[in-house]
Amino acid sequence: MSSEEGKLFVAGLNFNNDEQPLEDHFSSFGPISEVVVVKDRETQRSRGFGFITFTNPEHASVAMKAMNGESLDGALWEAKAGGPQCQEFETSVTNMEKPCLY
């Protein structure tokens, strides 16, 4: 199993959130191997999106369906399946290049 198979892209995060609220909400669907909230390099404030990687891709699928459209701290979440485009997007944002949009 590649790490991309269990990865979710989560958008619509509150700009004050860090990894803990995401892990708290999504961990009820199964074991999580990684939670990343993408942050602004200068302010270290959330950019409003992140990635969650489940150890089991089936858990990621269930979580995506259940959490898509849910809200936390007044922000409406959008959860999408990860994959190679997620890796490109995460890398481009981290390197401050033009992000890949899908």
Side-chain angles (χ1 to χ4, degrees):
M1 172 181 74
S2 85
S3 63
E4 297 303 314
E5 291 176 358
K7 188 176 236 183
L8 295 180
F9 169 79
V10 182
L13 303 177
N14 184 305
F15 291 107
N16 295 317
N17 282 132
D18 60 12
E19 289 81 2
Q20 196 59 53
L22 281 180
E23 187 166 356
D24 292 346
H25 276 75
F26 280 89
S27 64
S28 65
F29 297 100
I32 294 173
S33 60
E34 182 179 39
V35 178
V36 176
V37 172
V38 178
K39 297 177 181 166
D40 181 272
R41 280 188 183 187
E42 293 179 21
T43 66
Q44 292 303 303
R45 187 173 165 197
S46 168
R47 294 190 59 200
F49 64 93
F51 302 91
I52 300 169
T53 305
F54 286 85
T55 57
N56 183 331
E58 291 177 18
H59 296 153
S61 179
V62 171
M64 180 179 63
K65 291 173 185 166
M67 297 303 287
N68 195 25
E70 291 296 312
S71 65
L72 175 68
D73 298 331
L76 189 63
W77 290 0
E78 178 184 357
K80 294 182 179 183
Q85 70 271 33
C86 246
Q87 183 62 39
E88 288 177 35
F89 186 74
E90 186 173 14
T91 301
S92 67
V93 168
T94 302
N95 294 333
M96 299 302 285
E97 298 169 357
K98 183 178 178 185
C100 146
L101 301 176
Y102 59 98

